[in-house]
Amino acid sequence: MNAIDAIAAQLQGYDPQAMTADGVRDFLARLVTPVQDTIETPLFEALGRVLAADVVSPFDVPPHDNSAMDGFAFSGAELASDAALELQVAGTALAGKAWQGSVQPGQCVKIMTGAIMPAGLDTVVPQEFVQLRRTGEVETITIPAGLLRLGDNRRLRGEDLAQGQPALQKGELLTPARLGLAASLGLKTLTTWRPLRVAYFSTGDEILSLGEAPREGAVYDSNRYTVFGLLSRLGCQVIDLGVVRDEPALLEAAFTDAARQADAIITSGGVSVGEADYTKAMMKKLGDVAFWRIAMRPGRPMAVGRISSLKLAAGASGAGAESYQNESKGAVLFGLPGNPVAVMVTFLAFVRPALLQMMGATPAPLPLLKAHSREALRKKPGRTEYQRGWVSTAPDGSLQVKTTGSQGSGVLRSMAEANGLIVLHHHQGNIAVGDEVDVMMFDGVV
Ligand code: AMP
Ligand code: MG
């Protein structure tokens, strides 16, 4: 049994003609498998990669008790609740240059942020809180009563991370903060999964590549660029195969080329019902593919499966037939609809989580925010709708959202004007002004 049929058999009431958005995510989670190869990745190249091993702290961070402020270190035991404290400055501790002397009762040490706390001292008074007096060579500070408690403005050794404690976990996406944390542990490289290779091409005889002269009925290929952007933000290596004409030989060559190089293939166009083209036929011929009708808007049709390199190898003639990389399972296929907004929405809703899983990332659905709708929205229960929205802060501090222009599934402008998608769930009906809706933000994602 092929992978599609095997998964279908596990699912209750699977109907390719009546998929729900959740059903699609569930199916894809069963279809895809994470990459297996790891690489030692230098920190500057690791942003957006996925950790393939836990990172354990080799030492305490910070390695010593140190000061959180520029000020004066002293012994907190000397503080009295009802009287100001007067201390003589015995020396200076600089960041990177510890003060080696010993401190007598009644003394303090001038200290800079990050400097190691002198032995026996446990509290820092920020410099702006003290009165400083100088008599000849002798400096004295006065700390007002009731201002501080023992331990204030001191960072404890190991406070960030104790030695041997996992600092970062396998499956975590490497963000700027995580790169910084790895660097703070002295690590020059991290063990990551290799980046995912994703091939993309647009289909359709009416699709023009940039540089081609306009002609009647033809449109420029925008999907190539949105998909490129979406994949790049995800940290995938994009294999760009451009526009492929609706001819069997060209389509076969494109799928073959894609399956040979890539872990996943994304196409746009040619999967709608009644589509008079060869794309679907070629997907069927070269792979195990399901053609779905999804209860959602935009983005109803979608093809999903695997383009098997074994089938390709059997069908391929001559050189290169043995060099297919996805020998056993083939490349995962995401055949997206052609409409530019449908492409982005299906990518965000379905392809992105599936690719993250393939990248070895621990699943973490995009958080949905709650915002008050500034307008009434018509919505039929029984399908999931994604509307393009602009989220802003209302005068009372809560979040509010309104749609951006025409919601036609080909209208890219309203997508370009949006900062998030309003998610109207399967069972939801009409939305009244002021109702709370879920919003998926683009920021940092798209
Ligand atoms: P299809 O899914 O092939 O029926 O395409 C639906 C609509 O999306 C048609 O109006 C196409 O012209 C348009 N379309 C398909 N592919 C692209 C593309 N790569 N760039 C821009 N528009 C496209
Ligand atoms: Mg078409």
Side-chain angles (χ1 to χ4, degrees):
M1 203 182 333
N2 71 48
I4 297 288
D5 292 342
I7 296 166
Q10 292 165 16
L11 298 171
Q12 290 255 312
Y14 169 74
D15 178 358
Q17 289 303 304
M19 299 293 288
T20 61
D22 284 340
V24 168
R25 278 183 283 268
D26 182 24
F27 196 108
L28 291 176
R30 293 163 190 257
L31 178 68
V32 304
T33 47
V35 293
Q36 293 300 320
D37 320 318
T38 63
I39 32 178
E40 281 306 304
T41 308
L43 287 198
F44 275 135
E45 289 160 33
L47 185 66
R49 299 275 173 91
V50 180
L51 271 180
D54 288 353
V55 171
V56 170
S57 181
F59 45 70
D60 285 331
V61 181
H64 307 277
D65 290 2
N66 68 89
S67 176
M69 301 288 255
D70 288 346
F72 298 87
F74 64 102
S75 167
E78 298 198 62
L79 287 166
S81 58
D82 52 354
L85 177 63
E86 199 163 288
L87 299 166
Q88 201 186 69
V89 182
T92 302
L94 298 171
K97 192 156 183 281
W99 189 68
Q100 305 291 356
S102 62
V103 185
Q104 306 305 314
Q107 289 189 325
C108 66
V109 172
K110 186 169 185 188
I111 194 162
M112 302 300 146
T113 305
I116 297 176
M117 293 291 284
L121 305 188
D122 52 23
T123 308
V124 173
V125 57
Q127 61 189 8
E128 58 271 28
F129 290 172
V130 304
Q131 272 185 338
L132 182 65
R133 271 179 299 112
R134 185 174 282 116
T135 337
E137 293 289 279
V138 183
E139 281 187 318
T140 313
I141 61 164
T142 307
I143 305 171
L147 197 65
L148 293 172
R149 280 176 316 189
L150 189 149
D152 277 358
N153 305 309
R154 167 194 54 169
R155 300 182 189 132
L156 288 172
R157 169 183 181 156
E159 166 181 293
D160 239 7
L161 275 173
Q163 183 181 356
Q165 191 186 316
L168 294 168
Q169 256 133 33
K170 182 178 168 175
E172 282 182 344
L173 264 176
L174 289 163
T175 57
R178 289 170 182 161
L179 292 185
L181 186 61
S184 74
L185 302 179
L187 301 173
K188 284 191 193 152
T189 63
L190 290 168
T191 309
T192 69
W193 299 113
R194 72 161 168 81
L196 208 62
R197 292 186 284 263
V198 184
Y200 171 77
F201 58 91
S202 305
T203 71
D205 278 348
E206 79 283 25
I207 309 303
L208 292 173
S209 289
L210 295 183
E212 283 189 82
R215 60 169 194 271
E216 196 174 82
V219 293
Y220 282 112
D221 181 5
S222 56
N223 292 340
R224 180 180 185 181
Y225 299 89
T226 44
V227 173
F228 163 79
L230 290 162
L231 288 172
S232 300
R233 281 283 168 94
L234 210 50
C236 297
Q237 285 179 355
V238 186
I239 302 166
D240 169 38
L241 299 176
V243 182
V244 178
R245 298 220 85 82
D246 202 14
E247 282 173 33
L250 297 178
L251 285 166
E252 180 154 13
F255 277 116
T256 307
D257 193 16
R260 190 170 52 222
Q261 302 182 59
D263 303 297
I265 305 170
I266 299 177
T267 63
S268 76
V271 293
S272 332
V273 185
E275 186 84 34
D277 64 20
Y278 296 107
T279 307
K280 282 204 277 193
M282 194 52 65
M283 289 175 176
K284 261 188 218 151
K285 178 181 165 192
L286 299 177
D288 301 319
V289 180
F291 296 91
W292 288 338
R293 234 174 112 101
I294 308 168
M296 71 184 288
R297 210 169 82 157
R300 200 145 53 139
M302 186 172 167
V304 161
R306 286 187 184 282
I307 300 292
S308 148
S309 48
L310 292 178
K311 278 194 191 181
L312 292 174
S317 53
E322 46 306 289
S323 69
Y324 296 123
Q325 287 174 3
N326 306 299
E327 220 52 68
S328 52
K329 284 180 291 191
V332 176
L333 171 72
F334 302 96
L336 307 185
N339 269 314
V341 178
V343 164
M344 294 195 74
V345 168
T346 49
F347 186 98
L348 290 170
F350 309 132
V351 181
R352 183 176 186 275
L355 292 180
L356 281 167
Q357 196 180 328
M358 294 177 77
M359 289 161 64
T362 304
L366 285 175
L368 295 176
L369 302 181
K370 296 263 181 230
H372 295 283
S373 181
R374 297 178 68 184
E375 62 202 296
L377 302 172
R378 286 164 61 97
K379 160 72 169 61
K380 270 199 238 157
R383 69 182 183 203
T384 306
E385 285 190 22
Y386 297 85
Q387 300 208 2
R388 287 138 261 176
W390 183 261
V391 180
S392 58
T393 308
D396 70 356
S398 67
L399 292 179
Q400 58 184 9
V401 65
K402 68 184 183 61
T403 55
T404 54
S406 163
Q407 297 293 307
S409 62
V411 184
L412 204 45
R413 196 178 103 172
S414 49
M415 193 74 179
E417 285 172 356
N419 62 0
L421 286 175
I422 303 170
V423 185
L424 301 175
H425 298 282
H426 192 84
H427 297 295
Q428 256 176 309
N430 289 338
I431 303 295
V433 177
D435 280 359
E436 229 173 28
V437 288
D438 278 340
V439 199
M440 181 194 282
M441 297 301 290
F442 294 158
D443 244 15
V445 180
V446 178

